[in-house]
Amino acid sequence: MAHQLAIESLTKNFQTAEGPVTAVDNVSFGIGGDDFFTMLGPSGCGKTTTLRMIAGLESITSGRVVFDGRDFTRVSAFQRGIGMVFQSYALFPHMTVFENAAYGLRVRQLGENEIKTRVQRSLDKLGLGGLAQRHPSDLSGGQQQRVSIARALVYEPTMLLLDEPLANLDAKLRVQMREEIRRIQKDLGIMTIYVTHDQEEAMSVSDRIGVFDRGRLRQFGAPSEVYADPRSLFVADFIGKANFLKVGIQAADRNSAKVAVRGYAPFAVARSVTLDSEESVEIPAGSDGLLLVRPEHLEIAAGVEGGLPCRVRRIQVLGSFIRYIVECDAATREVTVDARRAAPGVSEGSNANLGFAAEDALLFARKRP
Amino acid sequence: MTGLAPSPRRDWLPWIVGALTLCVLVAFLIYPILKTVLGAFVRQGDEPSFANWTLYNFERFFVAATYKSAVRNSIVVSVLSTVVATLLALPAAYAVARIRMPFRNFILALSVIPLVAPPFIGAYSWIQLLGRSGIVTQYAADWFGITLPPIYGLFGIVLALSLSFFPYVFLIVQGALSAGDPYIEESAQVMGASRWRILRTVTLPLVTPAIAAAAMIVFIKALGNFGVPAILGGEMYVLPTLIYFQVHGFFNLNGASAIALVNVLITLLAIFILARINRRRRFVTVTGVTRKAAQLDSLGARIFANAYVWTLLALSLIPQIMVVWSSFAERWAGTTFPTEYGLGNYRQVFGDLFQPIQNSLVLAGIATVMTVIFGTLLAYTSVRRRFVGRWALDLTVMLPFVLPGVVTGVAFLVTFNDGWLVLTGTGTILVLAYFVRRIAYVFRSVSASISQVDPKMEEASTICGATWARTMRKVTVPLVAPGILAGAVIVFATLISEMSVTILLYSASWKTIAVAIYERLASNEMPAAAAVGSVTIALTLVLVFAASRLIGRSMADMFR
């Protein structure tokens, strides 16, 4: 049976010395089946607190956690049947790898033979077969990580929670482990909630992403959707690289808006977002909105004629593509251009011009008072 | 060579310092111990040699009833005190570490008082309370018709010792419980373990090494304690009081050596058992987790925790409160309560009791300076230099830590009573005995500090051309100064009222505070003894408090 998890208006207030702080503010979303859901955001955005409330490790100020129609709010952590992997792995240092993995089964009072088979199967699945009698302190970081995953999965929990599980590993191992986690997750068909601040990690493994900012869930959706169609400046900026051009809006109706970069002919943009009052403040004075153009949608050519004039600061050859960092008067900051091949005649320090297709741009318009 | 090259000379100083330290250790620690061991195997008056070899001194342990019962009493007293102290301390440690309680730091600071107050004067307070005509005894009889067990003997000794020493377990285990990685317990919780199961399978196993180490300290302290059984023992002898009896009654040093040896054997046996228990356990490496351990917040838990902790603290502080109270008693003869209060006892402190106080300060002061110098140098050598036999150095320094004070006293009496260096009756013998008995405190404290200082800082100083002495003076010592100061204060504070070794080595011209108090207690002048005791407790507390402020550590931290 496919499980369903619904988070309804979840809120968490902390009392601090400086007064109450809202760590999680009215967060709602729903996932189900074997979804791999990632909560993404900068540190202190409330994603870990949300995870800990789902696990039952943190009390809920208001709102509900509903699992398969059952209200989890008053169910204590040890009755929720959850598997969890911590950033520090939290392995029991006084137990062997085997005993660590067996812990959840012993709690569930399984027979000794059953425990042996299950633990062995689980350890083998994570390539730890030969390490059963070692202590955690004898293992490498990657191995400890695997043990903590094995330990969380061995009793077949209904849901797997991972709190920045890869933060303590080196870059190469991180990429390898995240693929492995997803493979096992799909293998077992277990609903998974994953917390990270690394957007590339989130994009690469998730079915769904929730982007958190200052306690609020800013956007919820598939990685491609969140990247291509961000609903706020924060999400646009946090997911992938973003270039913002200052624009004036000359006319707007329900389907499109006519915008102009200063000194150029107006053109129509089909996709637009009206910002909330908080983000509207971020639009510079003298402009009506910001136009988002992703680096891979910009084209760069030599000479100042034919597009937005710019000056090339830096060219980085990154293998599969070339990255130009340029200065442009129309942009809010340095502009990044990712080109498939080198533009002839463009060198560091030279003048160039930028072009893009109107259908690749997304308009963020200031909220009308 | 260009301009600023340092003068090319060989740096001999570390070798000279090392050799000097070694000589001091050999002369005042290893040699006395060897001589004591040898002396135990010859008859009184015989020269120690193979020809005179005998087990005569040990025969009495199988023949004489006093000896047999002293061994049994020592073991029973130490084991019971350790068990009671540990059982009393564990719930308190858990409560303070894991249950939300107000005044947490104040509780920790209060728990230090029983450690700095001389236990033997506290023991006398129990007589005033629970003795035959004690305050509590009389009220229990008058109001409830209850006859309390006699305070003299096993009950009183175990009561006084466990209430004086439980803070070691309390402070150490409390520290271990608050320092652990909170995620470890949370992961057990998520896996479905109940609170009780987590306590049993995760929390307790993880702090077991700390509990064992703390219990060991209590056991060693209880086994070597002279003052409490001397005052509360009545007819009951333990090994330290038996040694005192041998020395003061018969001046039979060989007999005393044999008893001392048996005392040490019991200690070693206990350490061996501890090592066996701890062998398969690994110490937790505390991770850099900033989150504190989760604290229970339920009303029931909080009420229980507060009631328990404050009751325990009150019980353990009763002797100290009694001491301060009776120090103001002008007339207290044959009545339940004093009939007149005043400051007369304090006037006496500044009169004829001034000399012992001065003696204690001088002796403790000189001994502290010595422990600081040699303890720091030894700690530095042990942590920084790789050399063969480093374990032997560590073991030698830590040896007096496990030797009961009376044993060190006997060793010094045996060694410096005749031969190449006669010191009996001088202040020097006290200073030297204090020195070897406490050097481990500075050694431990400074070792811990030095191992936290990156050796690259010293290397940088050497590369810049500084000599070893300059590097020590300008880089190492300033960096480990808090560790040195912490060690020094504990040494000084505990030496002011040192009893176990002093009682064997003091002379008429070098009476210390502890001796003065003991003499007055023996002649039933409790108020006068209490005045000295109060001054001592106040002085020690002020010292420890000032040092903790200076270092920026809590008072409780300094005893962990």
Side-chain angles (χ1 to χ4, degrees), chain A residues 149-204:
Chain A
I149 295 175
R151 187 178 67 172
L153 290 175
V154 72
Y155 48 90
E156 292 166 11
T158 50
M159 190 184 345
L160 178 65
L161 308 182
L162 301 111
D163 184 7
E164 306 232 14
L166 306 179
N168 294 337
L169 300 180
D170 64 58
K172 205 164 177 179
L173 202 55
R174 235 179 354 240
V175 174
Q176 189 191 326
M177 275 310 292
R178 73 190 189 202
E179 284 312 312
E180 201 165 328
I181 290 174
R182 180 169 167 103
R183 179 180 59 77
I184 293 169
Q185 183 259 337
K186 289 295 169 202
D187 245 27
L188 299 174
I190 181 174
M191 185 198 294
T192 298
I193 306 182
Y194 189 98
V195 162
T196 182
H197 59 264
D198 182 336
Q199 52 109 357
E200 189 201 314
E201 196 171 292
M203 304 280 285
S204 63

Side-chain angles (χ1 to χ4, degrees), chain B residues 405-484:
Chain B
V406 202
V407 173
T408 315
V410 168
F412 268 62
L413 270 184
V414 169
T415 313
F416 302 113
N417 194 40
D418 49 29
W420 60 282
L421 188 61
V422 179
L423 292 172
T424 25
T426 61
T428 316
I429 197 170
L430 282 168
V431 169
L432 288 172
Y434 288 174
F435 163 70
V436 295
R437 220 162 119 58
R438 290 286 187 267
I439 188 170
Y441 286 64
V442 177
F443 179 80
R444 275 204 328 175
S445 172
V446 178
S447 296
S449 299
I450 290 182
S451 47
Q452 276 167 14
V453 173
D454 191 343
K456 290 194 182 66
M457 285 193 233
E458 286 159 24
E459 285 164 11
S461 168
T462 311
I463 298 281
C464 291
T467 58
W468 177 81
R470 191 186 182 84
T471 303
M472 276 299 268
R473 211 171 59 239
K474 293 283 182 189
V475 180
T476 317
V477 169
L479 283 174
V480 299
I484 297 177

Side-chain angles (χ1 to χ4, degrees), chain B residues 246-380:
Chain B
Q246 279 295 323
V247 173
H248 268 233
F250 309 103
F251 207 72
N252 180 357
L253 292 182
N254 303 82
S257 296
I259 307 171
L261 216 57
V262 171
N263 199 336
V264 172
L265 280 180
I266 298 175
T267 315
L268 290 180
L269 190 69
I271 293 176
F272 176 73
I273 293 171
L274 173 82
R276 283 294 292 259
I277 293 173
N278 258 359
R279 197 177 43 174
R280 289 195 48 81
R281 299 200 186 276
R282 284 143 195 272
F283 281 84
V284 195
T285 41
V286 177
T287 53
V289 178
T290 47
R291 225 161 51 81
K292 276 192 293 186
Q295 294 191 324
L296 267 175
D297 209 7
S298 75
L299 189 65
R302 290 177 60 190
I303 291 174
F304 178 78
N306 275 295
Y308 184 84
V309 170
W310 287 106
T311 309
L312 181 61
L313 275 180
L315 272 179
S316 69
L317 290 177
I318 281 176
Q320 278 65 251
I321 296 165
M322 279 295 292
V323 167
V324 176
W325 178 49
S326 35
S327 73
F328 291 105
E330 291 276 332
R331 280 166 61 87
W332 194 356
T335 51
T336 311
F337 292 108
T339 44
E340 205 181 314
Y341 295 93
L343 291 172
N345 299 310
Y346 286 93
R347 275 191 286 279
Q348 211 193 339
V349 168
F350 292 100
D352 55 339
L353 283 173
F354 187 71
Q355 190 59 41
I357 294 178
Q358 197 186 18
N359 287 344
S360 274
L361 293 180
V362 169
L363 295 172
I366 300 173
T368 305
V369 172
M370 283 180 67
T371 55
V372 164
I373 295 173
F374 287 104
T376 306
L377 288 171
L378 278 169
Y380 179 84

Side-chain angles (χ1 to χ4, degrees), chain A residues 52 55-57 77-78 81-84 86 88 90-95 100 103-104 106-108 135 137-138 151 155 163, chain B residues 181 183-195 197-198 201-203 205-206 280-285 287 289 291:
Chain A
R52 291 171 60 79
L57 294 172
F78 64 88
I82 283 172
M84 187 158 174
F86 293 81
S88 57
L91 296 177
F92 305 127
H94 58 300
M95 297 180 192
N100 262 286
Y103 193 86
R106 295 208 192 281
V107 169
R108 286 163 179 73
H135 275 84
S137 52
D138 301 333
R151 187 178 67 172
Y155 48 90
D163 184 7
Chain B
D181 178 354
Y183 293 110
I184 290 181
E185 281 173 37
E186 280 181 358
S187 70
Q189 200 186 341
V190 168
M191 282 189 273
S194 61
R195 203 174 282 290
R197 192 187 184 100
I198 295 174
T201 59
V202 181
T203 316
L206 283 181
R280 289 195 48 81
R281 299 200 186 276
R282 284 143 195 272
F283 281 84
V284 195
T285 41
T287 53
V289 178
R291 225 161 51 81

Side-chain angles (χ1 to χ4, degrees), chain A residues 313-334:
Chain A
R313 276 256 162 263
R314 185 85 179 87
I315 301 176
Q316 300 165 342
V317 180
L318 296 173
S320 54
F321 65 94
I322 296 174
R323 173 163 291 170
Y324 296 88
I325 314 251
V326 304
E327 275 176 1
C328 176
D329 285 343
T332 54
R333 57 186 181 213
E334 277 184 335

